[in-house]
Amino acid sequence: MNSPEVLTTAPSTDSREFSITQEAIDRMQPVDERTGVVISSLIRHLHDFIRDVQLTEKEWMTAIQFLTRAGQICTDKRQEFILLSDVLGVSILVDAINNRLPPQATQQTVLGPYYWEGAPERPMGSDLAEGIIGEPCFYSGVVTSLDGTPIEGACLDVWSGDGEGNYDMQLGSTEMKARGKFVTGADGRYWFRSIKPFYYPVPTDGPVGQLLTAIGRHPNRPGHMHFILSAEGHKTVVTHIFPSDSPYLDSDTVFGVKDGLITEFLRHEPGQAPTGETVTTPFYTCEYNFRLAPVSLGATQA
Ligand code: BEZ
Ligand code: FE
């Protein structure tokens, strides 16, 4: 970012510097009430911000060029504006406002850009890590309602990068890897094999990467396994689980870590895994139970 230019005159309180805000709001004829509320608040806060920092013309142009580059780098596989929202804490703030779940429910966190819709349903116990590098990890647990009743027919849509933090789509794969859906039986239990997730940086080759450098922030996310949990009568939860020994748990660049989502991954020497199979390298186990809130809770607005 550029350093502020020295302003030669003090701001006057009776000039257009101030009257332009109400003028811009009064000019609106919004199509509905909510649009009017949102856009007038946006104008007010944006103008206040500009007055607060006494934005220079050079800084304004830097911002315009930043937004232009963000738009230009977007493709159907890359969304720089969502990344911007993530690193500024906006995505997690929108989540917090819209998903006020009871404390005992599994908490929601960011979806991230690497979700690939349409992962195949796999038999319980399948290995999602076929063809990818990483330390083996056996995941298991139970999906229940808030009162602890197991949920039959709960769907777990699971995905992660490989053991070095790279997602299939980042590696140019046209085939899904480390992804799958599992549907629980009457006992609500799930189990599958994958890898222990590894920390990784968000994409830094665009304007958001430059912004992170300019404000002295690292681009890393702690290791995490992504889940979307859905079940009839229950609120769908987009979430992750994080190994408790991962670096960056206290400084996730997208603010996605919540205490209840951090869990221990136990390390085992080579030998028999919980599935009965023999593993010839050290491996991990992770047991994590998901608790889903009823649809009637959680949503705060229509
Ligand atoms: C992810 O978890 O994959 C992710 C989330 C937000 C920004 C970038 C990556
Ligand atoms: Fe991720």
Side-chain angles (χ1 to χ4, degrees), residues 82-83 86-87 110-115 159 167 200-203 221 224 226 240 253-254:
I82 295 185
L83 186 58
D86 292 340
V87 304
V110 291
L111 175 69
Y114 303 122
Y115 179 58
W159 73 102
Y167 288 77
Y200 62 84
V202 299
R221 298 214 62 207
H224 54 272
H226 289 265
H240 314 340
T253 197
V254 303

Side-chain angles (χ1 to χ4, degrees), residues 50-266:
I50 290 165
R51 281 186 287 260
D52 182 31
V53 301
Q54 294 287 292
L55 199 74
T56 66
E57 287 173 312
K58 199 167 160 198
E59 288 163 344
W60 173 79
M61 188 44 78
T62 300
I64 298 289
Q65 284 164 349
F66 175 89
L67 293 171
T68 305
R69 286 200 315 279
Q72 285 166 340
I73 208 169
C74 287
T75 65
D76 59 343
K77 293 208 171 59
R78 168 118 188 213
Q79 230 306 343
E80 196 76 358
F81 288 106
I82 295 185
L83 186 58
L84 180 60
S85 157
D86 292 340
V87 304
L88 293 180
V90 171
S91 306
I92 207 71
L93 174 58
V94 172
D95 160 55
I97 290 168
N98 287 276
N99 296 289
R100 293 182 182 125
L101 297 172
Q104 67 273 34
T106 300
Q107 299 298 303
Q108 172 115 347
T109 188
V110 291
L111 175 69
Y114 303 122
Y115 179 58
W116 192 336
E117 237 178 278
E121 186 181 328
R122 296 172 184 258
M124 218 47 101
S126 299
D127 183 3
L128 298 185
E130 268 169 16
I132 67 161
I133 49 170
E135 295 171 292
C137 182
F138 294 84
Y139 294 81
S140 63
V142 56
V143 185
T144 70
S145 300
L146 289 188
D147 65 2
T149 309
I151 303 177
E152 180 173 7
C155 176
L156 299 94
D157 194 345
V158 184
W159 73 102
S160 74
D162 63 19
E164 291 180 348
N166 295 307
Y167 288 77
D168 46 9
M169 45 174 71
Q170 285 178 296
L171 297 171
S173 175
T174 49
E175 197 190 312
M176 287 194 185
K177 295 210 166 122
R179 297 173 192 268
K181 286 188 184 129
F182 299 96
V183 177
T184 57
D187 58 3
R189 294 204 68 80
Y190 75 88
W191 67 98
F192 63 90
R193 176 176 171 164
S194 187
I195 46 91
K196 184 182 185 216
F198 202 68
Y199 71 87
Y200 62 84
V202 299
T204 53
D205 56 341
V208 172
Q210 287 172 332
L211 174 66
L212 288 173
T213 303
I215 60 177
R217 274 182 43 193
H218 71 71
N220 297 310
R221 298 214 62 207
H224 54 272
M225 182 62 68
H226 289 265
F227 292 85
I228 299 177
L229 294 122
S230 52
E232 215 183 308
H234 294 80
K235 188 167 160 42
T236 296
V237 179
V238 177
T239 196
H240 314 340
I241 54 181
F242 299 92
S244 54
D245 61 352
S246 178
Y248 304 112
L249 281 173
D250 56 358
S251 62
D252 180 4
T253 197
V254 303
F255 307 96
V257 179
K258 296 184 180 178
D259 285 351
L261 302 177
I262 301 173
T263 191
E264 205 175 346
F265 281 53
L266 293 173

